[in-house]
Amino acid sequence: MNGMNLIESRKVLRKITPYLPGKPIWEVQKELGLDRVIKLASNENPIGPSPKAIKVLAGCLPELNRYPDANATYLKNKIAQRFGLTEGNLIITNGADELITLISETFLEPGDEIIVPSPSFSEYDFGANLMGANVVAVPLSEDFQFNIKDIISSVTEKTKLVYLCSPNNPTGTYLPRNDLEQLLSTLPKHILVVFDSAYSHFATSVDYTDGIEFVKKDYPIIVLQTFSKVYGLAGLRVGFGISGESIINCIMKVKEPFNVNSLAQAAATAAITDDDHVMASQEVNRVGREQLYQAFEALKLKYTESMSNFVLVELGPKANDIYHELMAKGIIVRYGNTWGMPEYIRISVGTSEENSILIQQLTSILNDK
Ligand SMILES: Cc1ncc(COP(=O)(O)O)c(C=O)c1O
């Protein structure tokens, strides 16, 4: 008899399915015996980390016997300067992922509701489920645009958080500034809007907003940002939240003291001033997105124009087969089943060479069908 069998986890965990990340390169190489594997599955920066960040890391190594700065003082200071904020407006976290969990732990009681325009990033649901709160999914329109009327009409007295992911993962669509303003002005003031602009650096539309202007105008909003995307530091795990001091102070109560390690803090402090690397990353993304669009048009594939560093493509009933065939050829993309979209795949924008190889292989797979 196994004595462990009698130990029960919390009931709310029954609702949680573990997050399924994009397969790492080494795993696919090992499984398929391939020399080269291209990962276009996790919206990472294809040109690598900020060189300024790499440079500061070696200098931190002799100090690894010390705990990191619990307040992430230098990093907060740099971010505050960059965005014209005060340090009290900021919380630094172990990736934006941790911040989503912290927000859930801070604001959600069992039975509360969160509103999520869907499909979107799965961690919002995870945080709610963890706390025994309920997810109210509000479908995006047919072409994946946000429908603010539907969001407003989904509000009940139990609604605590409204998540808005802009640009939205996995669709690449965004919520225009005027729509956000209208939403913020209409929603009851006890509801916190969680505005996830993890991909803001890739958005090029004039009516795009990263949400920070609305923090400055004192609306009940928290903006989520990350160092995992344009700054290329996904492996170090740093993100941050921007909000009014009272919201930040509430979340600080549930944060572990040493949640962001010293290497991550130093690298992020350097990366945020590395404008050359940011601009180079944006340019590779802009050119790469166009390269993918042109290829999809030539292949007569329906895609959604993206304000981000990935593109959602409709492949029809054979999408799962195509996803596996790409994997067999050493190209990892994301299959849409994760979002209940079995006829789609999401492709992260790579370097122009990586995109070309993807296009070549996709073309040959489609020609064989
Ligand atoms: C919309 C969105 N928000 C947040 C995150 C999490 O970012 P981090 O790596 O900082 O945890 C991701 C990661 O892919 C994302 O797509």
Side-chain angles (χ1 to χ4, degrees), residues 47-326:
I47 68 167
S50 146
K52 276 193 176 179
I54 296 175
K55 217 165 145 195
V56 296
L57 286 173
C60 302
L61 299 181
E63 294 288 322
L64 287 184
N65 55 320
R66 304 290 172 198
Y67 281 99
D69 173 6
N71 184 45
T73 312
Y74 288 111
L75 179 54
K76 269 193 191 167
N77 187 274
K78 271 279 169 332
I79 297 171
Q81 272 176 28
R82 279 263 138 175
F83 293 105
L85 299 158
T86 67
E87 289 167 32
N89 293 128
L90 297 170
I91 180 168
I92 315 292
T93 55
N94 196 267
D97 277 349
E98 187 200 16
L99 182 51
I100 295 164
T101 307
L102 294 177
I103 291 170
S104 311
E105 288 171 349
T106 306
F107 297 107
L108 297 177
E109 307 276 7
D112 281 346
E113 289 174 357
I114 68 163
I115 291 178
V116 183
S118 300
S120 195
F121 189 46
S122 63
E123 289 297 286
Y124 314 143
D125 297 17
F126 165 77
N129 289 331
L130 187 64
M131 302 312 297
N134 296 316
V135 179
V136 177
V138 177
L140 296 172
S141 70
E142 215 167 283
D143 52 354
F144 303 123
Q145 302 301 319
F146 290 81
N147 191 329
I148 60 167
K149 276 201 197 111
D150 287 354
I151 296 171
I152 292 165
S153 63
S154 302
V155 169
T156 72
E157 74 276 11
K158 290 185 178 156
T159 309
K160 269 291 189 60
L161 304 173
V162 171
Y163 278 94
L164 299 167
C165 184
S166 178
N168 184 46
N169 179 7
T171 58
T173 46
Y174 70 103
L175 183 73
R177 176 182 291 109
N178 286 346
D179 284 358
L180 176 58
E181 183 149 35
Q182 202 186 325
L183 247 183
L184 287 166
S185 314
T186 313
L187 286 171
K189 290 292 173 273
H190 65 275
I191 294 176
L192 178 64
V193 169
V194 184
F195 196 78
D196 186 345
S197 50
Y199 298 99
S200 61
H201 293 85
F202 304 110
T204 42
S205 279
V206 285
D207 59 350
Y208 174 76
T209 176
D210 60 16
I212 297 172
E213 62 192 285
F214 294 101
V215 174
K216 292 182 179 168
K217 287 184 192 156
D218 230 14
Y219 283 102
I221 182 172
I222 179 163
V223 171
L224 272 51
Q225 288 264 302
T226 178
F227 282 90
S228 301
K229 306 301 173 187
V230 82
Y231 301 107
L233 298 178
L236 282 176
R237 314 302 302 123
V238 205
F240 58 102
I242 307 169
S243 190
E245 287 199 29
S246 59
I247 296 289
I248 296 293
N249 288 340
C250 290
I251 306 171
M252 288 297 271
K253 289 188 184 171
V254 297
K255 180 185 94 63
E256 297 286 342
F258 304 116
N259 60 333
V260 182
N261 72 67
S262 49
L263 299 179
Q265 291 189 30
T269 307
I272 201 160
T273 62
D274 196 347
D275 294 332
D276 289 346
H277 175 260
V278 168
M279 283 190 295
S281 306
Q282 288 169 322
E283 184 59 10
V284 164
N285 190 63
R286 191 188 62 76
V287 173
R289 228 163 38 184
E290 278 308 316
Q291 188 185 0
L292 292 178
Y293 290 168
Q294 278 177 23
F296 299 149
E297 271 157 37
L299 290 166
K300 302 208 164 20
L301 292 174
K302 215 173 135 200
Y303 63 92
T304 304
E305 260 191 51
S306 172
M307 281 295 115
S308 199
N309 65 347
F310 52 82
V311 184
L312 188 69
V313 192
E314 190 174 350
L315 296 178
K318 295 209 167 116
N320 193 17
D321 295 346
I322 298 169
Y323 160 74
H324 284 292
E325 284 175 55
L326 282 171

